[in-house]
Amino acid sequence: MIAKELIMESEIIFYIEESLDGGYEARALGHSLFTDGETIPELKENIRDAVRCHSDEGSAPSVIKLHFVREEAIAL
């Protein structure tokens, strides 16, 4: 039980969506942390930078999880 709690505290989850203006937007679940990028590699680097900048030294999560959300509509 303790190990699971430590794992939960050591990760941060971002929801990724395509931006209406092109590129991608990322929003951290449960945190006021947002960033964007034109490409997936740029977005990943911007997410790393945002997490580093908003974490105290030694308290940054060891795992960053990305959940890609894609909305799609089809005609009936």
Side-chain angles (χ1 to χ4, degrees):
M1 185 82 156
I2 293 173
K4 185 176 182 181
E5 290 174 8
L6 291 175
I7 290 171
M8 295 301 288
E9 292 177 2
S10 67
E11 67 183 31
I12 187 168
I13 300 170
F14 279 84
Y15 283 96
I16 313 299
E17 295 181 299
E18 289 185 35
S19 174
L20 296 176
D21 300 329
Y24 301 90
E25 298 174 354
R27 175 176 45 97
L29 179 63
H31 301 277
S32 296
L33 196 51
F34 305 89
T35 190
D36 61 3
E38 290 298 315
T39 64
I40 296 293
E42 179 184 345
L43 178 68
K44 288 179 179 180
E45 190 56 38
N46 290 347
I47 289 170
R48 285 185 192 100
D49 288 343
V51 170
R52 285 186 203 116
C53 288
H54 290 89
S55 298
D56 294 330
E57 190 172 326
S59 69
S62 58
V63 175
I64 300 171
K65 291 186 177 181
L66 307 179
H67 288 262
F68 289 84
V69 179
R70 187 174 99 184
E71 188 173 319
E72 190 172 318
I74 58 171
L76 185 61

